[in-house]
Amino acid sequence: MTTAADISALARHLFETQGSKAIAEAAQKAVSFERAGDQAQARTWRQVEALLLEMRGPRES
């Protein structure tokens, strides 16, 4: 089981290394794990994606 601290650290690391591409990267990893049937890893990456979206904040129009 992945802890909230692990997910937070993973999201921060991904954001620091990928910048604006981090959200798409997390989503792509989630889809890849879903297709492979690894629901636990897919759930982790969906949580990372959600945290990255939260970190980004609302987009201005």
Side-chain angles (χ1 to χ4, degrees):
M1 180 176 174
T2 307
T3 67
D6 292 338
I7 291 169
S8 181
L10 186 56
R12 278 193 312 276
H13 176 73
L14 194 60
F15 184 75
E16 289 169 3
T17 59
Q18 298 292 320
S20 62
K21 297 178 185 177
I23 296 167
E25 180 74 21
Q28 191 172 36
K29 285 182 181 288
V31 168
S32 178
F33 282 114
E34 287 166 351
R35 288 185 179 151
D38 190 339
Q39 295 306 310
Q41 282 293 323
R43 188 171 28 260
T44 295
W45 283 101
R46 289 293 178 201
Q47 291 173 319
V48 170
E49 179 187 11
L51 186 54
L52 287 165
L53 286 166
E54 195 175 300
M55 289 168 61
R56 181 190 69 187
R59 296 184 68 98
E60 294 183 25
S61 52

